[in-house]
Structure formats: C-alpha cells, structure tokens
Amino acid sequence: MKVTIYDVAEKAGVSIATVSKVINSTGNMRQATRERVLSVMEELNYYPSMMASALTGKKTETLGLLVPDISNPFFSEIARTIEDRAHEKGLSVIMCSTDESLEKEKKYLELLRRKQVDGFIIASSFNDKNLLKGIKSASIPLVMLTQEAGMAGVTSVAVDDFSGGYDAANHLLELGHQKIALINENRLSSKMRVYGFREAYESHGYTFTDDMVITTNASLANGKKVLQTIINNGNLPSAIFACNDLLAIGVLQGARERGINIPEDLSLMGFDNTILATTSVPGLTTIAQPIEEMGKKVVDVIIDSINNKYSGSERILYNPELMQRDTTRVLSEERV
Amino acid sequence: MKVTIYDVAEKAGVSIATVSKVINSTGNMRQATRERVLSVMEELNYYPSMMASALTGKKTETLGLLVPDISNPFFSEIARTIEDRAHEKGLSVIMCSTDESLEKEKKYLELLRRKQVDGFIIASSFNDKNLLKGIKSASIPLVMLTQEAGMAGVTSVAVDDFSGGYDAANHLLELGHQKIALINENRLSSKMRVYGFREAYESHGYTFTDDMVITTNASLANGKKVLQTIINNGNLPSAIFACNDLLAIGVLQGARERGINIPEDLSLMGFDNTILATTSVPGLTTIAQPIEEMGKKVVDVIIDSINNKYSGSERILYNPELMQRDTTRVLSEERV
DNA sequence: ACAAAATAGTTAAGCGCTTTCTTTAATTAT
DNA sequence: ATAATTAAAGAAAGCGCTTAACTATTTTGT
C-alpha cells in the first residue's frame, strides 16, 4: 500500500502534524525529532502527496503550457527553456499541442483547470477570446507568449513582430528586391510581421497589395505547396518572406526540387531562427527571436503573478535581430 | 472563491453525492435531476477538481515523460505523438528533460511521484538502476522508450538499434567504404547501434577497433567538434556513421565550413530520420525509426498497465528502415 | 525555587471529492 | 388498495495533507 503521513508518524512516534512540519520545514521542534522523522521517511520511502497538500490550499506547482505544436522546432526550443526555468523554481509543466484548433484549445484549457494548474502560459492563438476570459475571470494567472491576448489585463511576452517584419522588408529592399511574395500564418503574431513588412515596403514608395501574401499553416509541406502555388500563378517574385522558418525551409526544399536556385534565382527569408535556419543549406537568412530570454521571462512573470507579486498587464517586447545568412542576395541586374 | 461541488449541490437543491454521480455518470437518477445539475454546473462555471478526486483513490490521469532533451527534434517529434495519443485517451503528460543527468533524473522522478502520476514513460538513460527499481517496487507503471530498462519486469518499446546499426554498416560497406568513423552517445541504444554496426563490419571480414568510435553527447556543436577531432587525428575516414541525426548534421555543418564535400569527400549517415535529415542539403542518409508507431505503442502499453490489463515484460522492437538520401555514395576509385 | 516566557508537540477541523450504506420515493404486482 | 420491488437521493466516512488553536514541556529570569 501507499505509505502516508500516518505511517511515518506512527513509526516515528509523533503526530502527523509534526511530520507535516518537517516536510515543510515549518514550526519549531527538537533537532532530534526532526532527524528521527526524516530517517523514518527515508526508511519507508515516503513521498508526500502533492495532491493532498494541494487540496489544503497549497499550490499544485504545475504550469500549463499551450503551444500550437511541440514538434515545431521553435516551440520545442522555447518549451525547453520554459521547462528548465520552471523546474529551477520548483514547478513542472504540462504541455499541450493545440494545432491552433478551437476544440483542442477549449478541451485542454478545461482539462488543465480541472488539474488546478497554478498558471497558464499560452502560445496558441485562442481566436475565441471567451476561453481566455473564462480563465481570467476565475483569476487564474495567465501569460501570453509569442502574441497578445487581445484583451485587457493580460500580460504578454513576445518579440516585436512588427519591427521584425519591418527589418525583413528592409533587408530585402536594400538588396534590390521589390517583387516579393509573403507566406503568412493565420495568427496575430504572423500578421504583425506582415504589417511591419508592409510598413517598410510602403515607406520605400512601393505599393503593397494583399495578393502578395498567401496564408497557410506552419509545416514543411505547406511551404512547398505554397511555392508551387506561387509558381503556378506565374510571375515568380524575386524574393519570398516566410513568417517562420518551417515554412521557409519548406520553400527551400520545394525550390531545390524544381531546380530553382536559392539565392541566385530567388531570395528567401524566414523568421524565428530555429535550428532549421542554422542547418539548412544555404543557411537561412531569418529574423531571430531571443528564445531563451523569452522563455525565462515568461515563467518569471507567471510565477510572480501566481505569488501575487505581479498583477500588471504589460506587453513585454523583445527586439528581433536580423540573421543574415545565405538565402538572400542582391537582386542581379538581368532580373530587374 | 473557487466553486465547489457544494455550491453546485446547494444551487441545484440536491446532495453532493448526487452531483458527484452526474459528474461521473454513475448511479441512477431522474433525467430531470441530471439535467438540472448539469445546467447549474454550467451556470456556475464549475470545474470538478481532479486533485480532490484523485485523492479519493481515482487516478490523476497524468503521465510523466522523461526524455533527454525535448528540444532535440527526435524527442520533440515523439513527444508530440505521445501527447496526442495520451490526450486521446484522456491523459495529460508532464514532460521533463533530463540531459541524461543523474541528479535531474532523480529529482524529476521524485517530483513526479509526489504528483502521483499514473505512470512513467522513460526515454532517458537512467544509469542508476536503483531509481527505476524504486518506482518498480512501488508498483508504479513504467515503460521504457527507446531503450531497455536493464532490469527484469519492465517492458520497453524501441527500434531494433542493433539491426539499424547493422543496416547502416552494410549500406556503407556496399558502397565500398571500409575506413569508417563512428560517433556514439553514451546511452545503451546508441551503443547497440555501434554493436550492430560492428557485427556487420566484421562479418565482411574487416577488423573493428574501438578507436574507430568517438563518444559524445547529442548536439550540433558536438558533431562539429568531433569532426574536428577526427580531422586532427589525421587519416580521414571515407565515411562517418553518427548514431543520431543531430550529430550527423553537426558533422555536415562542420564539413561544409572546412570545405569537405559531402558525399564526394566523405559519406555520412545519421540515425532517427528526424526533420533535420529531410531538410539538410544534401539530404541525410539515415536510419528511420517509426516515431509515430512507437509513440502510440508506448502510451497504449502504459495505459494498459495502469489499468492492470497488462503486466507483461516485453521488449517491443520495431524495424528500422534505411532512408537512402544524398550524403552517402560509392567510394570513388582514387580514394580506395 | 517558582512564575513567566518560550519551545515542542498534539488535536481537530477542513480541503473537494467518491462511495458504501441507508433512507425515501416511485412503481409494479397482487 | 396495499405489500413487495425497484429506483432515486442523501448521510457520512474517508482520501492524505495543512494549520490554527491548544496543551505539555523546557528554559529563563529573578
């Protein structure tokens, strides 16, 4: 049978209250007593149940993390830094991949509420804001990662997507590109990148039109597919800006398969600076997010709000950084 | 305040026992009563606490997953399939990256025990078998993934590493390579790959020596580093077999930086067939593991053993598959 | 040496559920 | 219409812990 606090108390010849005190290092007691209890705990292989203690008003020491897809390198990389930081602070994390699907978001949110997680870190879109409102009004700590909540009173940590997009456009524009296609995801952060791009683009005096952008979900396959679409549309652009590395690499693969040379025939940019950008050939020019910093920050914020040391509602924005590698280059004369 | 079963009971004008019954769809009751309770639950935004119910002998519906590193694509990919399967069956999963460190393994194991996870899926090495024994003797369900427990009574699901290594060797040997370096990790599964390799190598009449293999941890950086070491040792081999894709890609990067052409100057193989193998250029020849199947299987096994429908102790082995891409080629005459 | 103050340890209620028994109400049979 | 049977709902104990309030034991002061 499972060994409980009663077993320990009995064997150590004390009350369960005393055992509880040694577990939590609270209250006063003789050193000898403490040691005796400790050794009995050891001897019996006793693991205090966090369920039981959570039930008595303590925390569950568990965080819920909702990401679109943990197998997407960007999210697995940030999940790793979150996990590390959380563990450092004594919390575990339950991860859920939502695929940005409303049903899954709803289901997982409910599940995690029932599990009484101490707080949520949310990197999934949550287009149904009511879901978020529900947890907000139950005053369960909540921090958005990678995007804003789209409602008051929720803090978020993210890169400055707009300026990342802006930088991307500038880079391409400086290289002489003007006919550019964008690949976008249907989430706010991606759209911000496109807006930023647009801003820079127009400030160079060009006209941005919506048909320059194609929206799809993040995956290698979709990257390829979109490239195909772009090709089919005829009128190949001289550069493509994908709103994340996964899509960009998909384009890269597709290009290779069709004999389109990158960057000779086509310049390509991604966003995120995941492992994929560093391992591809040519190396992917991309906009880096400070993944580690963001991961740490987001757990620090959630922990502070769990402990009521934080009740703000900020937008914490990090600066993106252009990582210039080898998929972009000056537009050669003959293509102008 | 948090809404509890009492609030619901009171508002619905029934006892908490009745509410409990509707929550769990047990016992008999009038349809009208059930509906009334249900609607009150809805109205009050009631989320039954799983902590409380777990305390009364039910399950926590939570699995503990220990992997070396969730940001390693192999593990994030398999974690995704595990997560999906688990959710399908109503369980959540807490993920922990151990970095194969003894302290972390110990810490996380203890933590998860305290959280009363229903079972463990372990893909980390656990060189200290006592840790595993502890959970085994507490009769907490446990399945090894990617490797064996190294003790009786524990079932494991993995690829047949030995035969994967064997296949890798054969492939290289058939291409005429004979001077081959291996990059190994310090975990049993990797060593099995090397043993398999060795077996094939020797069966071709060659002599395998231990100085052909260099051991390191899985990371891009280490792949590069090892390549450097190999170069420094002089006497460059004509092929390298890395025991996982991450290391192989590291080698690929390193090679590129030093102007070593792959596969012209050096053939290269990985293991796992992660996204990295498909996106690299040239595409990495590697040994594929059936990630999805394995992920599903491992949760099915753990669930069955949680429900006492399974108490076996099998080694469930999947067949690896050679994915021939472009980093390996026939050893050219002049290099023989 | 004795009261006052501080320290050590205990009692018991309560956290939010589940579940076994009981009791009460509704059906069916006679 | 009434007893026998079955269905519906409730009472209460218990899960493993925390904690406030309390009692017993020491220690300190004078």
Side-chain angles (χ1 to χ4, degrees):
Chain A
M1 240 7 287
K2 190 163 187 341
V3 10
T4 74
I5 199 172
Y6 288 94
D7 303 318
V8 175
E10 184 173 0
K11 183 141 193 173
V14 295
S15 73
I16 61 165
T18 301
V19 176
S20 178
K21 280 172 190 153
V22 352
I23 293 171
N24 300 292
S25 315
T26 56
N28 305 309
M29 81 188 48
R30 214 163 292 143
Q31 184 60 19
T33 310
R34 160 162 284 119
E35 279 164 7
R36 184 155 34 93
V37 171
L38 244 17
S39 84
V40 171
M41 283 176 25
E42 172 102 348
E43 183 183 346
L44 296 185
N45 249 282
Y46 170 63
Y47 293 91
S49 161
M50 299 189 77
M51 316 248 78
S53 79
L55 197 54
T56 63
K58 300 195 115 179
K59 307 281 179 231
T60 54
E61 315 289 348
T62 306
L63 257 28
L65 171 63
L66 272 65
V67 295
D69 176 12
I70 191 69
S71 73
N72 173 329
F74 173 69
F75 293 109
S76 72
E77 287 171 26
I78 203 162
R80 177 54 143 108
T81 80
I82 289 174
E83 194 214 304
D84 282 353
R85 186 61 154 201
H87 275 133
E88 218 172 88
K89 307 279 187 173
L91 306 194
S92 332
V93 7
I94 297 183
M95 295 181 191
C96 299
S97 298
T98 65
D99 290 321
E100 307 270 24
S101 120
L102 244 54
E103 305 93 81
K104 287 190 190 170
E105 289 177 339
K106 178 158 189 223
K107 173 179 159 195
Y108 295 155
L109 217 49
E110 182 163 329
L111 183 66
L112 294 177
R113 277 183 78 160
R114 294 195 50 185
K115 294 207 167 160
Q116 323 266 148
V117 296
D118 295 335
F120 284 98
I121 296 177
I122 294 187
S124 184
S125 283
F126 278 85
N127 291 313
D128 180 354
K129 297 306 174 199
N130 285 323
L131 294 177
L132 254 28
K133 270 183 198 136
I135 94 134
K136 185 70 190 155
S137 66
S139 42
I140 301 172
L142 159 66
V143 182
M144 301 300 293
L145 172 61
T146 267
Q147 66 194 313
E148 292 169 74
M151 55 186 277
V154 176
T155 118
S156 63
V157 355
V159 260
D160 186 340
D161 292 299
F162 187 88
S163 98
Y166 195 95
D167 294 349
N170 263 341
H171 175 62
L172 256 15
L173 258 10
E174 277 166 14
L175 294 176
H177 296 278
Q178 183 253 309
K179 191 152 166 21
I180 303 171
L182 319 224
I183 308 178
N184 190 199
E185 254 189 303
N186 183 30
R187 57 192 333 251
L188 188 56
S189 58
S190 291
K191 290 186 205 158
M192 290 306 293
R193 294 169 194 176
V194 171
Y195 286 136
F197 188 99
R198 176 177 187 145
E199 186 61 26
Y201 193 79
E202 293 181 336
S203 78
H204 274 243
Y206 298 120
T207 309
F208 186 96
T209 55
D210 288 336
D211 59 6
M212 287 163 63
V213 7
I214 297 181
T215 300
T216 186
N217 292 320
S219 79
L220 245 32
N222 285 337
K224 273 194 208 184
K225 215 175 291 174
V226 169
L227 176 63
Q228 181 63 271
T229 308
I230 291 174
I231 291 171
N232 290 348
N233 288 169
N235 210 238
L236 202 67
S238 71
I240 291 181
F241 168 49
C243 70
N244 60 247
D245 287 351
L246 210 48
L247 286 167
I249 296 296
V251 169
L252 189 59
Q253 281 191 330
R256 174 167 316 268
E257 284 170 12
R258 318 196 140 59
I260 297 171
N261 294 316
I262 289 180
E264 292 76 9
D265 304 335
L266 181 69
S267 280
L268 176 65
M269 286 191 72
F271 203 112
D272 289 345
N273 195 37
T274 57
I275 189 174
L276 294 178
T278 74
T279 59
S280 76
V281 177
L284 183 69
T285 296
T286 191
I287 305 289
Q289 305 200 40
I291 292 184
E292 202 170 326
E293 264 179 278
M294 291 168 59
K296 275 188 187 160
K297 184 65 180 180
V298 81
V299 350
D300 289 348
V301 169
I302 196 83
I303 287 179
D304 281 349
S305 56
I306 288 170
N307 299 326
N308 293 310
K309 289 189 187 147
Y310 176 94
S311 58
S313 152
E314 314 171 62
R315 285 186 56 201
I316 301 173
L317 249 35
Y318 286 86
N319 287 323
E321 187 188 350
L322 173 67
M323 304 299 288
Q324 188 167 351
R325 286 195 270 253
D326 309 312
T327 53
T328 49
R329 69 164 217 176
V330 175
L331 182 58
S332 55
E333 290 303 321
E334 76 271 21
R335 291 214 37 151
V336 171
Chain B
M1 243 1 290
K2 187 161 190 342
V3 11
T4 73
I5 199 171
Y6 289 94
D7 303 318
V8 175
E10 184 173 2
K11 183 141 192 172
V14 296
S15 73
I16 61 165
T18 302
V19 177
S20 177
K21 280 171 191 156
V22 353
I23 293 171
N24 300 291
S25 314
T26 54
N28 303 311
M29 82 188 49
R30 216 161 288 141
Q31 183 61 19
T33 310
R34 159 162 285 121
E35 279 163 7
R36 184 155 34 91
V37 172
L38 245 17
S39 84
V40 171
M41 284 177 24
E42 173 102 346
E43 183 182 347
L44 295 184
N45 250 282
Y46 169 64
Y47 294 90
S49 162
M50 298 189 77
M51 314 247 79
S53 77
L55 197 53
T56 61
K58 299 194 115 180
K59 306 280 178 234
T60 53
E61 315 288 347
T62 307
L63 257 26
L65 172 62
L66 272 67
V67 296
D69 177 11
I70 190 72
S71 74
N72 171 329
F74 173 69
F75 292 109
S76 74
E77 288 171 25
I78 202 162
R80 176 55 142 107
T81 78
I82 288 173
E83 194 214 305
D84 282 353
R85 185 60 154 201
H87 275 134
E88 217 172 87
K89 306 282 185 171
L91 306 195
S92 328
V93 6
I94 297 183
M95 294 182 194
C96 299
S97 298
T98 65
D99 290 320
E100 308 269 25
S101 117
L102 242 55
E103 304 93 79
K104 287 191 191 172
E105 289 177 339
K106 179 160 188 216
K107 173 178 158 195
Y108 295 154
L109 216 49
E110 183 164 329
L111 183 68
L112 295 177
R113 278 184 77 159
R114 296 195 48 184
K115 294 209 166 158
Q116 325 264 151
V117 296
D118 295 336
F120 285 98
I121 296 177
I122 294 187
S124 184
S125 283
F126 278 85
N127 291 313
D128 180 353
K129 297 306 175 198
N130 285 323
L131 294 176
L132 255 28
K133 271 186 197 134
I135 93 135
K136 187 67 191 160
S137 67
S139 42
I140 301 171
L142 158 67
V143 182
M144 303 300 294
L145 172 60
T146 265
Q147 66 195 312
E148 291 172 74
M151 56 187 276
V154 176
T155 116
S156 62
V157 355
V159 261
D160 185 339
D161 291 299
F162 187 87
S163 97
Y166 194 95
D167 293 348
N170 262 342
H171 176 60
L172 257 17
L173 258 8
E174 276 166 14
L175 294 176
H177 297 279
Q178 183 253 309
K179 195 155 161 23
I180 303 172
L182 319 227
I183 308 178
N184 189 201
E185 255 189 304
N186 184 29
R187 57 189 337 248
L188 188 57
S189 59
S190 291
K191 291 186 206 157
M192 289 306 292
R193 293 168 195 178
V194 171
Y195 287 136
F197 188 98
R198 175 178 189 146
E199 186 62 26
Y201 192 78
E202 293 182 336
S203 78
H204 274 243
Y206 298 120
T207 308
F208 187 97
T209 56
D210 287 338
D211 59 8
M212 289 164 63
V213 8
I214 297 180
T215 301
T216 188
N217 291 321
S219 79
L220 244 33
N222 285 337
K224 274 194 207 182
K225 213 173 293 172
V226 169
L227 176 63
Q228 180 65 269
T229 308
I230 291 174
I231 290 170
N232 290 348
N233 289 169
N235 210 238
L236 201 68
S238 71
I240 291 181
F241 169 49
C243 70
N244 60 246
D245 287 351
L246 210 48
L247 286 167
I249 297 295
V251 169
L252 189 58
Q253 281 191 330
R256 176 168 315 270
E257 285 169 13
R258 320 197 138 59
I260 298 172
N261 294 316
I262 289 180
E264 292 76 9
D265 304 335
L266 181 69
S267 279
L268 175 65
M269 287 192 71
F271 203 112
D272 288 346
N273 195 36
T274 58
I275 190 173
L276 295 177
T278 74
T279 60
S280 75
V281 176
L284 182 68
T285 296
T286 192
I287 304 290
Q289 305 200 38
I291 292 183
E292 202 170 327
E293 263 179 279
M294 290 168 58
K296 276 189 187 160
K297 185 63 180 184
V298 80
V299 350
D300 288 349
V301 169
I302 196 81
I303 288 179
D304 281 349
S305 54
I306 288 170
N307 298 327
N308 293 310
K309 288 187 187 148
Y310 176 93
S311 58
S313 151
E314 313 172 62
R315 287 186 56 201
I316 301 172
L317 250 33
Y318 286 86
N319 286 321
E321 186 188 353
L322 173 69
M323 304 298 289
Q324 187 167 352
R325 285 195 270 253
D326 308 315
T327 54
T328 47
R329 71 163 211 174
V330 174
L331 182 60
S332 55
E333 288 306 320
E334 76 271 21
R335 291 216 37 157
V336 172

